[in-house]
Amino acid sequence: MIPSLGALFEGFTAVEATVAVLLVSVVAAVAMEFVVLRAARRFVSGTDTGYDDIVIASLRAPLVVTAALAGVFVLTQVPAVRASVLVEPQLLDAVFGRPSLSVIVLVWAYAANAVVNRVVAAVNEEGGRFDFAPVFSNVWTLAVLLGSVGTLLWLWGIEITPLLGAAGVAGIAVGFAAKDTVANFFGGIALYFDDTYKIGDYIVLDDGTAGTVIKVGVRSTTLLTRDEVLVTVPNATLNASKVTNESAPQRRRRVRVPIGVAYGTDVDAFEALAIEVVQAEPLVLDSPKPRARFRSFGDSALQYEILCWVNGPTRRRRAQHELNRALYVALGEADIEIPYPKRDVTIAGTAGAEPPGPGTERAPASPTPEAEPAERRAGDGD
């Protein structure tokens, strides 16, 4: 029994104490519902953010339940009530007192988990740069679960020291048995705090895997490739590999279109035509402006590179396709040659000798030493 509550209701009969406690509980619940919460909702309705609305909506149930069940717990601590009931005070605490506090703890734990998860979801929908990764919601849920379980065990008088020792031994065993899962878990936390990527970003891994991030979990991250294939990558692998985020710090991306024109081409006319073609493409952004850059003198062509920007990394391939088509057509209409590699072959012959005509007979070739008779080769040495 709480001594302060006993002193507060000293001199009250059981009926008077019961009526007083129930009256205070009902008044507190009604005041919490119709006065405090209504005033809070009226206050937050004038703010620009919706996060405070989420907090007020999530705390409504635990506030009302706490105001109502606190009266039940107080009744179990009033001396007059404890003395007037037929059951033992310990049984009264076990049936009414501790269950009331347990319900209050569970309701507040549920509300604390709900309010954080809803705020995280709201932040994710806004698509801000500093996005709360969903892994934070999972970690928060786990922390609330462990905290509420520990509070309930303490409330019911269960000694948790042996449980903590057993949990430590079990944790070591689980850590060795599930080291990959633990590595993925902490890898996800490291990726979140490093702000490597968020949902909706287009990332490229060092092994060539590329896709849009659609889910970030405790164990892995799921990517949707351009072929609409889901690829699940462990967080530990992501944390240890090179990740290129093509959606940060901004979504626009540069497109490079290499092209070669023949030697002798009017470069001013070609550059003006190329810029005109690029500016006419709807996928290309107006700012930054497209540019044509003369890169090098090739073996068969003047090597150019057309530079422009598109709104998003997934549009680069489509824009490059459309620009290649448009440039090919425009250069053909302007009679500007796109050369292919050429080679000049020079045949060197005997000076003054003319090749035999089609009706000319060839003289018989002189026999080689190998074809001469052995007697003649022997006589040559005399």
Side-chain angles (χ1 to χ4, degrees), residues 9 26 66 68 72 76 78 85 93 153 244-246 274 314 324 334 354:
F9 291 93
V26 172
T66 300
V72 177
T76 61
V78 176
V85 295
D93 289 336
L153 292 176
T244 303
N245 189 347
E246 297 195 355
T314 58
N324 283 335
E354 296 183 358

Side-chain angles (χ1 to χ4, degrees), residues 5-84:
L5 290 178
L8 181 62
F9 291 93
E10 187 176 357
F12 280 68
T13 64
V15 176
E16 292 173 345
T18 302
V19 172
V21 170
L22 293 180
L23 181 62
V24 171
S25 299
V26 172
V27 170
V30 172
M32 194 68 66
E33 173 69 25
F34 295 100
V35 178
V36 178
L37 291 176
R38 182 169 296 182
R41 282 193 292 266
R42 186 180 299 110
F43 173 76
V44 300
S45 62
T47 60
D48 296 333
T49 180
Y51 302 144
D52 44 14
D53 297 325
I54 295 175
V55 174
I56 295 299
S58 300
L59 295 182
R60 174 180 174 273
L63 288 175
V64 175
V65 170
T66 300
L69 292 182
V72 177
F73 173 74
V74 170
L75 282 176
T76 61
Q77 306 301 314
V78 176
V81 176
R82 295 168 68 92
S84 61

Side-chain angles (χ1 to χ4, degrees), residues 366-374 376-377 380:
S366 59
T368 61
E370 290 78 4
E372 295 181 354
R376 185 174 178 179
R377 291 201 303 268
D380 292 341

Side-chain angles (χ1 to χ4, degrees), residues 187-205:
I189 295 177
L191 290 171
Y192 163 68
F193 284 108
D194 289 344
D195 197 21
T196 306
Y197 53 79
K198 61 180 181 293
I199 293 178
D201 286 352
Y202 187 84
I203 64 175
V204 180
L205 307 184

